[in-house]
């Protein structure tokens, strides 16, 4: 039972945070564990956008082009505004983003705003939230993000081809008062499969890629280069935002030996900064790192990926040079609270998703969720699950396959509770979690936004071969 004082407290919180007041009325038939989880969630992040009335307008055009990428030769790509990565869209929390998008590709497309809590109609899922944008057509995306942080955008039609060809960009929503870093730097990590002519290997969704962990390439780039160098001055304190935009490759960037703190995951701040080492940056994931360079110049610092224990991959270098600067001193930004949700594992799971594969379907292999595959469709009308806005849920994933599945939910953040039944205490929310072969993962969430939200594997070949479904969030 919700005590009267608890109810009054919830109503006070409601006034400030637009908490769902109905949680009070129906509190009586919720278990004490669920009531506790909901109380812990209060104030974790804003429930509503607060538009300031400022509209920031950008034009985006998707079209085939040639760019001097990778080692400087002409690479034929598909790009937003002729750039790979696409233009960096930067707004401040409370501002409204308006993107006038034009499709000049030979295929239909959409833009999905990965990680952004926005109105369902702006989510960019073809046939589910909008008709696909046909070649030659224009579509206007307009929304006010509810959260500050590092987000990204990419097509949601034939993603395994369109993202691989170069269509992606970063959306940064700055805090109302951004912390005073010396600089804010973005590293977009991508993995390319080039053929012997050094062009993008033109066959997509190959049997090999479908049967394994998607399309892993032979060239890894940071911001489109194999030789990205970040030049810093002694004393600088940098906010480094990393995105993994690869179709399939997972990277574990190694910052050991540096003064580095992990401050945000998938856009949202942690409740306290932690050591970034070992974070598996799966396709779709973002991390923000707080880096301070106290040492004077020296040998270039090599940042490598250590996802595979036996083979490390070079990502980029950091060179310290020049006149020293005064290091800005301030506490690393953090979220006031992230629910511990230790009670989450005591709440019965609302649903168990079973992830697996089988032969068949248009691509020869189908990746399934609960035995269903939506191959070649980004628009399953059959909803996999219905949830209620403002309610607390534990969901479980059982990976019955031996492959990797970075599972991504649109329109909501979740917390990881356990891997293989062992509680995991992450100090952060996520929108994407890597599930390893044969692994079982428990997550918890409170959906905040009504609508039809996609859930899929972010290994884009797995998604194209069916590993996607919809979660319908109903108003309470
Ligand atoms: Cu990057 Cu449906 O997601
Ligand atoms: Cu997968």
């Amino acid at each position: 039972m919700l005590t009267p004082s608890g109810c009054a407290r919830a109503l006070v919180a409601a006034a400030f945070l637009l908490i769902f007041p109905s949680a009070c009325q129906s509190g009586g038939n919720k278990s004490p564990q669920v009531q506790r989880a909901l109380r812990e969630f209060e104030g974790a992040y804003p429930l509503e956008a607060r538009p300031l009335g400022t509209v920031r307008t950008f034009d985006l055009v998707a079209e085939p082009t040639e760019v001097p990428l990778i080692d400087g030769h002409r690479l034929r790509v598909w790009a937003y505004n002729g750039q790979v990565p696409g233009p960096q869209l930067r707004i401040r929390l409370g501002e409204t983003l308006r993107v006038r998008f034009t499709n000049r590709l030979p295929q239909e497309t959409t833009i999905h705003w990965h990680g952004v809590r926005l109105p369902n109609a702006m989510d960019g899922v073809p046939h589910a939230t909008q008709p696909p944008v046909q070649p030659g057509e224009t579509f206007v995306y307009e929304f006010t993000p509810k959260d500050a942080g590092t987000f990204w955008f990419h097509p949601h039609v034939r993603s395994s081809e369109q993202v691989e060809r170069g269509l992606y960009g970063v959306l940064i929503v700055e805090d109302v008062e951004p912390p005073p870093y010396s600089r804010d730097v973005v590293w977009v990590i991508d993995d390319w499969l080039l053929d012997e002519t050094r062009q993008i290997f033109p066959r997509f969704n190959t049997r090999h890629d479908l049967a394994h962990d998607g399309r892993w390439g032979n060239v890894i780039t940071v911001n489109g280069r194999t030789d990205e160098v970040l030049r810093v001055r002694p004393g600088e304190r940098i906010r480094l935002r990393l995105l993994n935009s690869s179709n399939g490759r997972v990277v574990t960037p190694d910052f050991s030996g540096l003064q580095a703190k992990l401050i945000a995951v998938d856009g949202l701040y942690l409740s306290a900064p932690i050591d970034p080492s070992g974070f598996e940056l799966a396709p779709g994931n973002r991390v923000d790192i707080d880096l301070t360079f106290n040492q004077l110049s020296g040998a270039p610092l090599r940042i490598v990926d250590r996802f595979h224990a036996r083979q490390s991959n070079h990502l980029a270098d950091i060179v310290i040079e020049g006149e020293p600067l005064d290091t800005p001193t301030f506490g690393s930004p953090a979220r006031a609270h992230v629910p511990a949700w230790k009670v989450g594992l005591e709440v019965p799971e609302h649903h168990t998703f079973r992830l697996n594969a089988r032969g068949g379907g248009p691509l020869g292999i189908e990746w399934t969720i609960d035995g269903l595959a939506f191959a070649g469709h980004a628009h399953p009308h059959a909803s996999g699950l219905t949830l209620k806005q403002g309610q607390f849920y534990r969901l479980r994933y059982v990976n019955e396959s031996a492959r990797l599945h970075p599972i991504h939910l649109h329109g909501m953040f979740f917390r990881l509770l356990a891997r293989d039944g062992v509680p995991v205490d992450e100090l952060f929310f996520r929108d994407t979690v890597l599930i390893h072969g044969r692994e079982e993962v428990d997550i918890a969430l409170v959906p905040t936004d009504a609508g039809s939200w996609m859930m899929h594997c972010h290994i884009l070949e797995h998604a194209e071969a069916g590993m996607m479904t919809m979660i319908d969030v109903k108003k309470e």
Side-chain angles (χ1 to χ4, degrees), residues 386-424:
T386 302
L387 303 178
K388 273 197 213 143
Q389 194 183 28
Q391 218 358 321
F392 175 83
Y393 297 98
R394 172 157 75 96
L395 301 177
R396 160 167 284 211
Y397 297 84
V398 175
N399 185 359
E400 296 174 339
S401 78
R403 308 316 317 187
L404 299 171
H405 302 298
I407 293 292
H408 169 50
L409 272 64
H410 287 204
M412 52 198 110
F413 294 107
F414 56 84
R415 266 223 41 204
L416 183 61
L417 295 184
R419 288 189 186 270
D420 286 331
V422 181
V424 185

mmCIF file of all heavy atoms in Angstrom, residues 386-424:
data_model
loop_
_atom_site.group_PDB
_atom_site.id
_atom_site.type_symbol
_atom_site.label_atom_id
_atom_site.label_comp_id
_atom_site.label_asym_id
_atom_site.label_seq_id
_atom_site.Cartn_x
_atom_site.Cartn_y
_atom_site.Cartn_z
ATOM 1 N N THR A 386 2.823 -5.120 -25.103
ATOM 2 C CA THR A 386 2.147 -3.872 -24.746
ATOM 3 C C THR A 386 2.509 -3.516 -23.311
ATOM 4 O O THR A 386 2.464 -4.366 -22.425
ATOM 5 C CB THR A 386 0.619 -4.026 -24.886
ATOM 6 O OG1 THR A 386 0.345 -4.394 -26.240
ATOM 7 C CG2 THR A 386 -0.094 -2.720 -24.581
ATOM 8 N N LEU A 387 2.902 -2.278 -23.112
ATOM 9 C CA LEU A 387 3.253 -1.790 -21.778
ATOM 10 C C LEU A 387 2.408 -0.560 -21.477
ATOM 11 O O LEU A 387 1.873 0.059 -22.388
ATOM 12 C CB LEU A 387 4.741 -1.394 -21.721
ATOM 13 C CG LEU A 387 5.784 -2.450 -22.094
ATOM 14 C CD1 LEU A 387 7.186 -1.845 -22.009
ATOM 15 C CD2 LEU A 387 5.675 -3.667 -21.184
ATOM 16 N N LYS A 388 2.315 -0.227 -20.192
ATOM 17 C CA LYS A 388 1.587 0.991 -19.811
ATOM 18 C C LYS A 388 2.578 2.065 -19.394
ATOM 19 O O LYS A 388 3.511 1.801 -18.627
ATOM 20 C CB LYS A 388 0.648 0.692 -18.643
ATOM 21 C CG LYS A 388 -0.707 0.191 -19.081
ATOM 22 C CD LYS A 388 -1.673 0.322 -17.906
ATOM 23 C CE LYS A 388 -2.693 -0.798 -17.935
ATOM 24 N NZ LYS A 388 -3.022 -1.262 -16.593
ATOM 25 N N GLN A 389 2.303 3.269 -19.878
ATOM 26 C CA GLN A 389 3.100 4.432 -19.516
ATOM 27 C C GLN A 389 3.142 4.566 -17.987
ATOM 28 O O GLN A 389 2.130 4.369 -17.318
ATOM 29 C CB GLN A 389 2.372 5.629 -20.126
ATOM 30 C CG GLN A 389 3.119 6.897 -20.199
ATOM 31 C CD GLN A 389 2.219 8.001 -20.760
ATOM 32 O OE1 GLN A 389 1.007 7.975 -20.608
ATOM 33 N NE2 GLN A 389 2.836 8.967 -21.409
ATOM 34 N N GLY A 390 4.319 4.888 -17.464
ATOM 35 C CA GLY A 390 4.410 5.166 -16.029
ATOM 36 C C GLY A 390 4.445 3.933 -15.137
ATOM 37 O O GLY A 390 4.460 4.056 -13.923
ATOM 38 N N GLN A 391 4.460 2.749 -15.707
ATOM 39 C CA GLN A 391 4.491 1.521 -14.920
ATOM 40 C C GLN A 391 5.930 0.984 -14.899
ATOM 41 O O GLN A 391 6.730 1.344 -15.757
ATOM 42 C CB GLN A 391 3.554 0.540 -15.601
ATOM 43 C CG GLN A 391 2.680 -0.393 -14.830
ATOM 44 C CD GLN A 391 2.752 -0.415 -13.341
ATOM 45 O OE1 GLN A 391 3.824 -0.311 -12.722
ATOM 46 N NE2 GLN A 391 1.608 -0.589 -12.746
ATOM 47 N N PHE A 392 6.209 0.150 -13.924
ATOM 48 C CA PHE A 392 7.557 -0.414 -13.824
ATOM 49 C C PHE A 392 7.555 -1.834 -14.372
ATOM 50 O O PHE A 392 6.664 -2.626 -14.046
ATOM 51 C CB PHE A 392 8.001 -0.444 -12.353
ATOM 52 C CG PHE A 392 9.327 -1.130 -12.139
ATOM 53 C CD1 PHE A 392 10.521 -0.454 -12.322
ATOM 54 C CD2 PHE A 392 9.370 -2.477 -11.773
ATOM 55 C CE1 PHE A 392 11.742 -1.098 -12.137
ATOM 56 C CE2 PHE A 392 10.591 -3.121 -11.584
ATOM 57 C CZ PHE A 392 11.772 -2.425 -11.768
ATOM 58 N N TYR A 393 8.542 -2.159 -15.188
ATOM 59 C CA TYR A 393 8.607 -3.500 -15.776
ATOM 60 C C TYR A 393 10.001 -4.083 -15.686
ATOM 61 O O TYR A 393 10.991 -3.378 -15.897
ATOM 62 C CB TYR A 393 8.229 -3.452 -17.269
ATOM 63 C CG TYR A 393 6.823 -3.009 -17.504
ATOM 64 C CD1 TYR A 393 6.543 -1.689 -17.840
ATOM 65 C CD2 TYR A 393 5.765 -3.914 -17.387
ATOM 66 C CE1 TYR A 393 5.238 -1.274 -18.058
ATOM 67 C CE2 TYR A 393 4.458 -3.506 -17.604
ATOM 68 C CZ TYR A 393 4.196 -2.184 -17.934
ATOM 69 O OH TYR A 393 2.904 -1.778 -18.144
ATOM 70 N N ARG A 394 10.028 -5.381 -15.437
ATOM 71 C CA ARG A 394 11.270 -6.131 -15.666
ATOM 72 C C ARG A 394 11.072 -6.961 -16.916
ATOM 73 O O ARG A 394 10.046 -7.642 -17.053
ATOM 74 C CB ARG A 394 11.584 -7.047 -14.494
ATOM 75 C CG ARG A 394 12.762 -7.973 -14.818
ATOM 76 C CD ARG A 394 13.460 -8.471 -13.576
ATOM 77 N NE ARG A 394 12.714 -9.486 -12.868
ATOM 78 C CZ ARG A 394 12.916 -10.809 -13.016
ATOM 79 N NH1 ARG A 394 13.838 -11.253 -13.864
ATOM 80 N NH2 ARG A 394 12.213 -11.676 -12.322
ATOM 81 N N LEU A 395 12.035 -6.880 -17.823
ATOM 82 C CA LEU A 395 11.990 -7.672 -19.052
ATOM 83 C C LEU A 395 13.235 -8.544 -19.090
ATOM 84 O O LEU A 395 14.306 -8.156 -18.609
ATOM 85 C CB LEU A 395 11.965 -6.763 -20.293
ATOM 86 C CG LEU A 395 10.805 -5.767 -20.389
ATOM 87 C CD1 LEU A 395 10.978 -4.894 -21.630
ATOM 88 C CD2 LEU A 395 9.463 -6.490 -20.437
ATOM 89 N N ARG A 396 13.077 -9.713 -19.673
ATOM 90 C CA ARG A 396 14.206 -10.635 -19.734
ATOM 91 C C ARG A 396 14.468 -11.012 -21.188
ATOM 92 O O ARG A 396 13.533 -11.144 -21.985
ATOM 93 C CB ARG A 396 13.864 -11.869 -18.908
ATOM 94 C CG ARG A 396 14.686 -13.083 -19.237
ATOM 95 C CD ARG A 396 14.507 -14.130 -18.196
ATOM 96 N NE ARG A 396 15.274 -13.737 -17.014
ATOM 97 C CZ ARG A 396 15.815 -14.628 -16.188
ATOM 98 N NH1 ARG A 396 15.653 -15.917 -16.389
ATOM 99 N NH2 ARG A 396 16.525 -14.229 -15.162
ATOM 100 N N TYR A 397 15.755 -11.159 -21.527
ATOM 101 C CA TYR A 397 16.159 -11.614 -22.855
ATOM 102 C C TYR A 397 16.935 -12.909 -22.687
ATOM 103 O O TYR A 397 17.874 -12.965 -21.883
ATOM 104 C CB TYR A 397 17.046 -10.574 -23.547
ATOM 105 C CG TYR A 397 16.318 -9.266 -23.784
ATOM 106 C CD1 TYR A 397 16.237 -8.304 -22.784
ATOM 107 C CD2 TYR A 397 15.674 -9.024 -24.991
ATOM 108 C CE1 TYR A 397 15.545 -7.125 -22.975
ATOM 109 C CE2 TYR A 397 14.980 -7.847 -25.195
ATOM 110 C CZ TYR A 397 14.913 -6.895 -24.181
ATOM 111 O OH TYR A 397 14.212 -5.733 -24.377
ATOM 112 N N VAL A 398 16.545 -13.913 -23.418
ATOM 113 C CA VAL A 398 17.275 -15.171 -23.397
ATOM 114 C C VAL A 398 17.857 -15.356 -24.798
ATOM 115 O O VAL A 398 17.119 -15.520 -25.775
ATOM 116 C CB VAL A 398 16.359 -16.356 -23.023
ATOM 117 C CG1 VAL A 398 17.117 -17.674 -23.121
ATOM 118 C CG2 VAL A 398 15.805 -16.157 -21.613
ATOM 119 N N ASN A 399 19.166 -15.268 -24.894
ATOM 120 C CA ASN A 399 19.822 -15.441 -26.188
ATOM 121 C C ASN A 399 20.070 -16.930 -26.405
ATOM 122 O O ASN A 399 20.991 -17.498 -25.831
ATOM 123 C CB ASN A 399 21.129 -14.642 -26.221
ATOM 124 C CG ASN A 399 21.799 -14.696 -27.582
ATOM 125 O OD1 ASN A 399 21.305 -15.349 -28.503
ATOM 126 N ND2 ASN A 399 22.916 -14.009 -27.706
ATOM 127 N N GLU A 400 19.238 -17.523 -27.219
ATOM 128 C CA GLU A 400 19.372 -18.958 -27.491
ATOM 129 C C GLU A 400 20.370 -19.218 -28.609
ATOM 130 O O GLU A 400 20.609 -20.362 -28.975
ATOM 131 C CB GLU A 400 17.986 -19.529 -27.857
ATOM 132 C CG GLU A 400 17.019 -19.430 -26.684
ATOM 133 C CD GLU A 400 15.591 -19.845 -27.003
ATOM 134 O OE1 GLU A 400 15.223 -19.848 -28.198
ATOM 135 O OE2 GLU A 400 14.863 -20.162 -26.048
ATOM 136 N N SER A 401 20.938 -18.159 -29.151
ATOM 137 C CA SER A 401 21.926 -18.307 -30.219
ATOM 138 C C SER A 401 23.321 -18.071 -29.650
ATOM 139 O O SER A 401 23.474 -17.619 -28.513
ATOM 140 C CB SER A 401 21.654 -17.300 -31.335
ATOM 141 O OG SER A 401 22.117 -16.009 -30.958
ATOM 142 N N ALA A 402 24.322 -18.339 -30.478
ATOM 143 C CA ALA A 402 25.702 -18.144 -30.039
ATOM 144 C C ALA A 402 26.242 -16.785 -30.471
ATOM 145 O O ALA A 402 27.410 -16.478 -30.245
ATOM 146 C CB ALA A 402 26.576 -19.255 -30.617
ATOM 147 N N ARG A 403 25.402 -15.972 -31.134
ATOM 148 C CA ARG A 403 25.892 -14.699 -31.687
ATOM 149 C C ARG A 403 25.586 -13.527 -30.761
ATOM 150 O O ARG A 403 24.831 -13.650 -29.793
ATOM 151 C CB ARG A 403 25.260 -14.421 -33.066
ATOM 152 C CG ARG A 403 25.337 -15.497 -34.112
ATOM 153 C CD ARG A 403 26.649 -16.235 -34.290
ATOM 154 N NE ARG A 403 27.862 -15.445 -34.282
ATOM 155 C CZ ARG A 403 29.068 -15.927 -34.558
ATOM 156 N NH1 ARG A 403 29.220 -17.203 -34.899
ATOM 157 N NH2 ARG A 403 30.126 -15.158 -34.510
ATOM 158 N N LEU A 404 26.173 -12.366 -31.114
ATOM 159 C CA LEU A 404 25.981 -11.139 -30.343
ATOM 160 C C LEU A 404 24.679 -10.452 -30.760
ATOM 161 O O LEU A 404 24.349 -10.442 -31.948
ATOM 162 C CB LEU A 404 27.132 -10.165 -30.629
ATOM 163 C CG LEU A 404 28.549 -10.620 -30.285
ATOM 164 C CD1 LEU A 404 29.560 -9.601 -30.842
ATOM 165 C CD2 LEU A 404 28.706 -10.748 -28.779
ATOM 166 N N HIS A 405 23.989 -9.862 -29.803
ATOM 167 C CA HIS A 405 22.803 -9.064 -30.126
ATOM 168 C C HIS A 405 22.758 -7.801 -29.271
ATOM 169 O O HIS A 405 22.339 -7.847 -28.118
ATOM 170 C CB HIS A 405 21.517 -9.870 -29.930
ATOM 171 C CG HIS A 405 21.468 -11.118 -30.742
ATOM 172 N ND1 HIS A 405 21.490 -11.111 -32.126
ATOM 173 C CD2 HIS A 405 21.437 -12.410 -30.376
ATOM 174 C CE1 HIS A 405 21.460 -12.348 -32.560
ATOM 175 N NE2 HIS A 405 21.436 -13.160 -31.530
ATOM 176 N N PRO A 406 23.227 -6.674 -29.821
ATOM 177 C CA PRO A 406 23.033 -5.406 -29.099
ATOM 178 C C PRO A 406 21.569 -4.970 -29.256
ATOM 179 O O PRO A 406 21.183 -4.452 -30.298
ATOM 180 C CB PRO A 406 23.993 -4.442 -29.806
ATOM 181 C CG PRO A 406 24.274 -5.054 -31.145
ATOM 182 C CD PRO A 406 24.020 -6.528 -31.051
ATOM 183 N N ILE A 407 20.784 -5.193 -28.222
ATOM 184 C CA ILE A 407 19.351 -4.913 -28.313
ATOM 185 C C ILE A 407 19.092 -3.444 -27.974
ATOM 186 O O ILE A 407 19.577 -2.934 -26.961
ATOM 187 C CB ILE A 407 18.555 -5.844 -27.368
ATOM 188 C CG1 ILE A 407 18.659 -7.298 -27.854
ATOM 189 C CG2 ILE A 407 17.097 -5.405 -27.258
ATOM 190 C CD1 ILE A 407 17.952 -7.606 -29.177
ATOM 191 N N HIS A 408 18.353 -2.795 -28.858
ATOM 192 C CA HIS A 408 18.065 -1.364 -28.732
ATOM 193 C C HIS A 408 16.565 -1.135 -28.638
ATOM 194 O O HIS A 408 15.803 -1.714 -29.410
ATOM 195 C CB HIS A 408 18.639 -0.624 -29.956
ATOM 196 C CG HIS A 408 18.190 0.803 -30.087
ATOM 197 N ND1 HIS A 408 18.257 1.693 -29.038
ATOM 198 C CD2 HIS A 408 17.666 1.489 -31.125
ATOM 199 C CE1 HIS A 408 17.790 2.872 -29.452
ATOM 200 N NE2 HIS A 408 17.424 2.775 -30.705
ATOM 201 N N LEU A 409 16.165 -0.303 -27.703
ATOM 202 C CA LEU A 409 14.767 0.106 -27.585
ATOM 203 C C LEU A 409 14.633 1.556 -28.014
ATOM 204 O O LEU A 409 15.400 2.408 -27.561
ATOM 205 C CB LEU A 409 14.282 -0.027 -26.137
ATOM 206 C CG LEU A 409 13.701 -1.380 -25.718
ATOM 207 C CD1 LEU A 409 14.740 -2.469 -25.779
ATOM 208 C CD2 LEU A 409 13.107 -1.295 -24.313
ATOM 209 N N HIS A 410 13.676 1.818 -28.873
ATOM 210 C CA HIS A 410 13.354 3.201 -29.228
ATOM 211 C C HIS A 410 12.505 3.818 -28.112
ATOM 212 O O HIS A 410 11.735 3.112 -27.451
ATOM 213 C CB HIS A 410 12.503 3.250 -30.500
ATOM 214 C CG HIS A 410 13.243 2.931 -31.760
ATOM 215 N ND1 HIS A 410 12.821 3.374 -32.999
ATOM 216 C CD2 HIS A 410 14.372 2.221 -31.989
ATOM 217 C CE1 HIS A 410 13.651 2.940 -33.936
ATOM 218 N NE2 HIS A 410 14.603 2.233 -33.353
ATOM 219 N N GLY A 411 12.658 5.130 -27.945
ATOM 220 C CA GLY A 411 11.697 5.880 -27.126
ATOM 221 C C GLY A 411 11.772 5.677 -25.634
ATOM 222 O O GLY A 411 10.943 6.204 -24.907
ATOM 223 N N MET A 412 12.724 4.904 -25.142
ATOM 224 C CA MET A 412 12.818 4.727 -23.690
ATOM 225 C C MET A 412 14.235 4.320 -23.286
ATOM 226 O O MET A 412 14.977 3.757 -24.075
ATOM 227 C CB MET A 412 11.795 3.719 -23.174
ATOM 228 C CG MET A 412 11.775 2.383 -23.856
ATOM 229 S SD MET A 412 10.209 1.513 -23.522
ATOM 230 C CE MET A 412 9.432 1.578 -25.137
ATOM 231 N N PHE A 413 14.548 4.647 -22.047
ATOM 232 C CA PHE A 413 15.811 4.196 -21.467
ATOM 233 C C PHE A 413 15.510 3.049 -20.512
ATOM 234 O O PHE A 413 14.406 2.940 -19.985
ATOM 235 C CB PHE A 413 16.474 5.329 -20.676
ATOM 236 C CG PHE A 413 16.916 6.481 -21.533
ATOM 237 C CD1 PHE A 413 16.225 7.678 -21.510
ATOM 238 C CD2 PHE A 413 18.014 6.371 -22.362
ATOM 239 C CE1 PHE A 413 16.627 8.754 -22.300
ATOM 240 C CE2 PHE A 413 18.428 7.426 -23.156
ATOM 241 C CZ PHE A 413 17.733 8.621 -23.123
ATOM 242 N N PHE A 414 16.495 2.209 -20.288
ATOM 243 C CA PHE A 414 16.318 1.117 -19.338
ATOM 244 C C PHE A 414 17.583 0.970 -18.509
ATOM 245 O O PHE A 414 18.621 1.556 -18.833
ATOM 246 C CB PHE A 414 15.979 -0.189 -20.070
ATOM 247 C CG PHE A 414 16.991 -0.604 -21.113
ATOM 248 C CD1 PHE A 414 18.135 -1.314 -20.762
ATOM 249 C CD2 PHE A 414 16.809 -0.278 -22.461
ATOM 250 C CE1 PHE A 414 19.061 -1.698 -21.714
ATOM 251 C CE2 PHE A 414 17.740 -0.661 -23.427
ATOM 252 C CZ PHE A 414 18.863 -1.368 -23.055
ATOM 253 N N ARG A 415 17.479 0.178 -17.437
ATOM 254 C CA ARG A 415 18.659 -0.135 -16.632
ATOM 255 C C ARG A 415 18.900 -1.618 -16.699
ATOM 256 O O ARG A 415 17.972 -2.413 -16.615
ATOM 257 C CB ARG A 415 18.418 0.289 -15.184
ATOM 258 C CG ARG A 415 18.938 1.693 -14.870
ATOM 259 C CD ARG A 415 19.628 1.692 -13.541
ATOM 260 N NE ARG A 415 20.429 0.495 -13.423
ATOM 261 C CZ ARG A 415 20.787 -0.059 -12.299
ATOM 262 N NH1 ARG A 415 20.426 0.484 -11.160
ATOM 263 N NH2 ARG A 415 21.510 -1.153 -12.284
ATOM 264 N N LEU A 416 20.159 -1.971 -16.819
ATOM 265 C CA LEU A 416 20.534 -3.382 -16.802
ATOM 266 C C LEU A 416 20.459 -3.861 -15.356
ATOM 267 O O LEU A 416 20.995 -3.206 -14.460
ATOM 268 C CB LEU A 416 21.968 -3.495 -17.340
ATOM 269 C CG LEU A 416 22.554 -4.889 -17.487
ATOM 270 C CD1 LEU A 416 21.729 -5.713 -18.459
ATOM 271 C CD2 LEU A 416 24.001 -4.785 -17.984
ATOM 272 N N LEU A 417 19.786 -4.998 -15.109
ATOM 273 C CA LEU A 417 19.687 -5.524 -13.740
ATOM 274 C C LEU A 417 20.621 -6.701 -13.520
ATOM 275 O O LEU A 417 21.203 -6.841 -12.446
ATOM 276 C CB LEU A 417 18.258 -5.986 -13.440
ATOM 277 C CG LEU A 417 17.148 -4.944 -13.423
ATOM 278 C CD1 LEU A 417 15.842 -5.604 -13.023
ATOM 279 C CD2 LEU A 417 17.473 -3.797 -12.471
ATOM 280 N N ALA A 418 20.717 -7.584 -14.518
ATOM 281 C CA ALA A 418 21.502 -8.805 -14.283
ATOM 282 C C ALA A 418 21.957 -9.400 -15.610
ATOM 283 O O ALA A 418 21.308 -9.221 -16.643
ATOM 284 C CB ALA A 418 20.663 -9.831 -13.522
ATOM 285 N N ARG A 419 23.089 -10.077 -15.543
ATOM 286 C CA ARG A 419 23.554 -10.913 -16.652
ATOM 287 C C ARG A 419 23.648 -12.334 -16.129
ATOM 288 O O ARG A 419 24.272 -12.562 -15.085
ATOM 289 C CB ARG A 419 24.933 -10.466 -17.144
ATOM 290 C CG ARG A 419 24.917 -9.130 -17.909
ATOM 291 C CD ARG A 419 26.282 -8.873 -18.538
ATOM 292 N NE ARG A 419 26.361 -7.551 -19.160
ATOM 293 C CZ ARG A 419 26.044 -7.304 -20.441
ATOM 294 N NH1 ARG A 419 25.621 -8.276 -21.216
ATOM 295 N NH2 ARG A 419 26.163 -6.082 -20.915
ATOM 296 N N ASP A 420 23.034 -13.259 -16.830
ATOM 297 C CA ASP A 420 22.990 -14.660 -16.389
ATOM 298 C C ASP A 420 22.580 -14.777 -14.923
ATOM 299 O O ASP A 420 23.155 -15.553 -14.160
ATOM 300 C CB ASP A 420 24.347 -15.341 -16.634
ATOM 301 C CG ASP A 420 24.559 -15.640 -18.116
ATOM 302 O OD1 ASP A 420 23.547 -15.852 -18.828
ATOM 303 O OD2 ASP A 420 25.723 -15.655 -18.558
ATOM 304 N N GLY A 421 21.607 -13.971 -14.535
ATOM 305 C CA GLY A 421 21.071 -14.050 -13.176
ATOM 306 C C GLY A 421 21.918 -13.378 -12.111
ATOM 307 O O GLY A 421 21.515 -13.287 -10.960
ATOM 308 N N VAL A 422 23.094 -12.902 -12.477
ATOM 309 C CA VAL A 422 23.976 -12.249 -11.503
ATOM 310 C C VAL A 422 23.713 -10.741 -11.553
ATOM 311 O O VAL A 422 23.864 -10.128 -12.610
ATOM 312 C CB VAL A 422 25.465 -12.520 -11.835
ATOM 313 C CG1 VAL A 422 26.369 -11.849 -10.812
ATOM 314 C CG2 VAL A 422 25.721 -14.017 -11.923
ATOM 315 N N PRO A 423 23.297 -10.148 -10.419
ATOM 316 C CA PRO A 423 22.986 -8.716 -10.436
ATOM 317 C C PRO A 423 24.159 -7.871 -10.929
ATOM 318 O O PRO A 423 25.312 -8.145 -10.602
ATOM 319 C CB PRO A 423 22.671 -8.394 -8.971
ATOM 320 C CG PRO A 423 22.264 -9.692 -8.367
ATOM 321 C CD PRO A 423 23.054 -10.753 -9.105
ATOM 322 N N VAL A 424 23.850 -6.870 -11.743
ATOM 323 C CA VAL A 424 24.847 -5.939 -12.262
ATOM 324 C C VAL A 424 24.422 -4.562 -11.787
ATOM 325 O O VAL A 424 23.271 -4.186 -11.960
ATOM 326 C CB VAL A 424 24.846 -5.929 -13.804
ATOM 327 C CG1 VAL A 424 25.955 -5.052 -14.330
ATOM 328 C CG2 VAL A 424 24.967 -7.323 -14.369
#
